[in-house]
Amino acid sequence: MNFPERWCKCIKGVLESARSSVLVNGSPTSEFSCEKGMRQGDPISSFMFIIVMEALSGLIRKACDVGSFSGIRLPNGGPILSHLLYADDAMVMGEWSENNFVTLKRLLQVFHLCSVLQIDIHKSTFFGVGKNIDEISGKAVSMGCRSGVTLFSYLGILVGANMNRISNWDPVLKVFKTRLSKWKSNVLSIGGKLTLIKSVLESLPSYYFSLFMAPVAVINSLESLIKKFLWGGNMDVNKVYWVGWDVVSTSKKQGGLGLSKFGESNNALLLKWLWRYRKEGNSMWRRVIDAIHGSTRRWETYPHKSRFSGTWTKLVNSVCRIKVGDTYDVNMIRGQVGNGANIKFWIDPWLK
C-alpha cells in the first residue's frame, strides 16, 4: 500500500517489542515476548485492522472497475454498491450471477493469501432478494455459508421488520428488564439511581430511536420501568410516585432531576438525520437516498417516494408530523434558489 519503509519499521518494532505477563493467583509471572502478533486490546490493533480491511475493499473495487464483479447499480445516476465495511463486519452485495459468485470466492482466497486473515465463511449468511428459498439454500451450500431470509438482525437492528408493531420492540424492553434485574433499587440512594438511569438506561434505546419512530405504548412502557426503579419499586411491585414525571423530566434549573423524555429524545434523533441530509451533501448514504427517492421534477425538502416503504420513507413521514411549537418542522425548511439547478422556476411552488 506504498507505506514508507521507516513507518513499516516503526510498526514492526512496536509489534516485536511487546511483552506480557500472566496473573496467577493475583501475582504476575515473569514477562515473555509476544510471538503471535498484537496483544488483545492493543490500541494499535483497531488501526491495523482498518488498514488490512482497506486492502479487501480495494480488491472488490478493482474487480468492479475491470468488470469481473457486478455491484448493485442504483437508478438516476446513483452510485454502484458492491460492499460495506463496519468494524469487523463486511457485507458484499451484487447481481445474482454465477460470475459474481466465482469472483467473490477468488477475491476471498486472494485476500487470505495476502493478509493471512481468513473469513469464517461458516458464520457468514447468504441472502437473495426476489429468489425462492430453495434457490438461496442451494447457492449458500455451494458458497459454504448459511442461507438467510428476512426478517434478520444486522448490527443489532431488525432488517425488514415493521417497527410500528409493538412486538418488534421486545428486544429493547428485554434489555431494560435484564439490566434492572441486576440492580437493587431499595439499597441505592436517589443519587445512585439517577446516575444509573442517566448513564445506562437512557442510552439503551438510542440505537433504535435513531432509526425508528417508537410507538407510544413502547415509550410508556420504558418510562414506566424507569419510574418504578426511581421510586424504589420493581417490575412486580409499584411504589408511590412522589413527584410527577413532567416535573422529574425537567432540567435541574427548573426544579426537576434532568431526566430525558424518551418521546422527545426519539424525535431529536430522527430530526438529526434530516439535518445530516442537508449538511452531508457528498456522503454515500445521501447519494443512495437521492438515487432512490430523488426527483428531477421538483425540489423537495426531504425526497421520499411512498411506493418504497423502507426505513427512509417511514422516517420522513414520521418526522414531518413533528411540531416545533405550533409549526411543523418541514415548514421551517426553505430552499435557496441559487442558479436554479435544484429548484425549477416553472414547477416548484413560490412563496412571498
Side-chain angles (χ1 to χ4, degrees), residues 16-30:
E16 292 181 346
S17 63
R19 301 180 65 83
S20 302
S21 62
V22 181
L23 289 177
V24 179
N25 295 329
S27 301
T29 63
S30 57

Side-chain angles (χ1 to χ4, degrees), residues 10-18 34 37-39 42 44 48:
C10 290
I11 297 298
K12 184 177 181 181
V14 170
L15 300 179
E16 292 181 346
S17 63
C34 300
M38 291 174 288
R39 296 167 292 177
D42 196 312
I44 201 175
M48 295 297 294

Side-chain angles (χ1 to χ4, degrees), residues 88-158:
D88 60 345
D89 198 279
M91 176 185 290
V92 182
M93 60 196 77
E95 297 179 359
W96 186 280
S97 65
E98 190 63 31
N99 179 67
N100 271 0
F101 301 142
V102 174
T103 302
L104 180 58
K105 286 183 178 180
R106 292 175 178 173
L107 290 175
L108 296 180
Q109 291 174 354
V110 171
F111 176 72
H112 169 60
L113 294 175
C114 295
S115 65
V116 201
L117 294 177
Q118 186 172 6
I119 296 178
D120 194 347
I121 198 69
H122 299 291
K123 292 183 179 179
S124 302
T125 308
F126 187 87
F127 295 93
V129 179
K131 303 295 181 179
N132 58 60
I133 297 178
D134 294 335
E135 191 174 0
I136 296 174
S137 300
K139 187 56 64 176
V141 171
S142 65
M143 295 290 292
C145 57
R146 302 174 298 182
S147 61
V149 295
T150 56
L151 169 79
F152 64 93
S153 177
Y154 181 70
L155 299 179
I157 289 292
L158 291 175

Side-chain angles (χ1 to χ4, degrees), residues 303-338:
H304 68 284
K305 295 180 180 178
S306 301
R307 67 176 182 272
F308 299 140
S309 58
T311 301
W312 177 256
T313 300
K314 294 177 181 178
L315 186 149
V316 173
N317 289 333
S318 300
V319 170
C320 287
R321 295 195 297 266
I322 298 176
K323 283 187 176 182
V324 180
D326 295 331
T327 306
Y328 287 100
D329 173 75
V330 68
N331 294 331
M332 301 174 66
I333 306 297
R334 293 291 183 271
Q336 185 175 358
V337 177

Side-chain angles (χ1 to χ4, degrees), residues 180-349:
L180 288 175
S181 65
K182 298 178 181 179
W183 301 331
K184 299 296 183 181
S185 61
N186 55 353
V187 298
L188 292 175
S189 65
I190 188 68
K193 295 174 187 177
L194 287 174
T195 300
L196 288 173
I197 291 172
K198 291 181 178 180
S199 60
V200 180
L201 290 181
E202 289 186 351
S203 61
L204 287 178
S206 297
Y207 191 26
Y208 273 75
F209 283 175
S210 64
L211 290 173
F212 309 110
M213 177 68 74
V216 176
V218 174
I219 298 292
N220 293 337
S221 298
L222 295 176
E223 291 183 346
S224 177
L225 293 173
I226 290 181
K227 294 174 188 177
K228 292 179 180 179
F229 177 75
L230 178 63
W231 300 118
N234 53 48
M235 290 181 288
D236 301 321
V237 179
N238 292 324
K239 291 293 182 98
V240 177
Y241 299 164
W242 295 104
V243 182
W245 184 247
D246 290 336
V247 178
V248 173
S249 57
T250 56
S251 64
K252 293 183 178 179
K253 292 182 179 180
Q254 297 175 340
L257 297 179
L259 299 182
S260 300
K261 290 184 178 180
F262 281 144
E264 296 179 355
S265 299
N266 191 190
N267 292 341
L269 290 171
L270 293 179
L271 282 168
K272 186 176 180 180
W273 280 105
L274 303 187
W275 174 80
R276 289 183 60 187
Y277 177 83
R278 286 298 167 197
K279 297 294 290 185
E280 302 176 8
N282 296 322
S283 60
M284 171 66 75
W285 75 272
R286 171 167 175 175
R287 286 187 287 147
V288 171
I289 295 297
D290 288 339
I292 298 175
H293 296 275
S295 173
T296 57
R297 293 288 300 168
R298 59 181 299 163
W299 183 86
E300 295 177 297
T301 308
Y302 313 118
H304 68 284
K305 295 180 180 178
S306 301
R307 67 176 182 272
F308 299 140
S309 58
T311 301
W312 177 256
T313 300
K314 294 177 181 178
L315 186 149
V316 173
N317 289 333
S318 300
V319 170
C320 287
R321 295 195 297 266
I322 298 176
K323 283 187 176 182
V324 180
D326 295 331
T327 306
Y328 287 100
D329 173 75
V330 68
N331 294 331
M332 301 174 66
I333 306 297
R334 293 291 183 271
Q336 185 175 358
V337 177
N339 59 5
N342 296 320
I343 296 182
K344 307 302 181 182
F345 184 88
W346 295 109
I347 300 176
D348 287 311

Side-chain angles (χ1 to χ4, degrees), residues 30-95:
S30 57
E31 294 185 350
F32 56 89
S33 300
C34 300
E35 299 180 355
K36 295 296 182 181
M38 291 174 288
R39 296 167 292 177
Q40 185 175 5
D42 196 312
I44 201 175
S45 60
S46 57
F47 178 64
M48 295 297 294
F49 181 80
I50 292 174
I51 293 178
V52 175
M53 293 306 292
E54 180 63 27
L56 176 61
S57 179
L59 285 173
I60 299 176
R61 286 198 301 267
K62 183 65 174 179
C64 292
D65 293 339
V66 299
S68 299
F69 188 86
S70 300
I72 299 176
R73 186 178 298 274
L74 297 179
N76 301 321
I80 300 175
L81 299 181
S82 58
H83 63 286
L84 296 173
L85 303 178
Y86 179 80
D88 60 345
D89 198 279
M91 176 185 290
V92 182
M93 60 196 77
E95 297 179 359

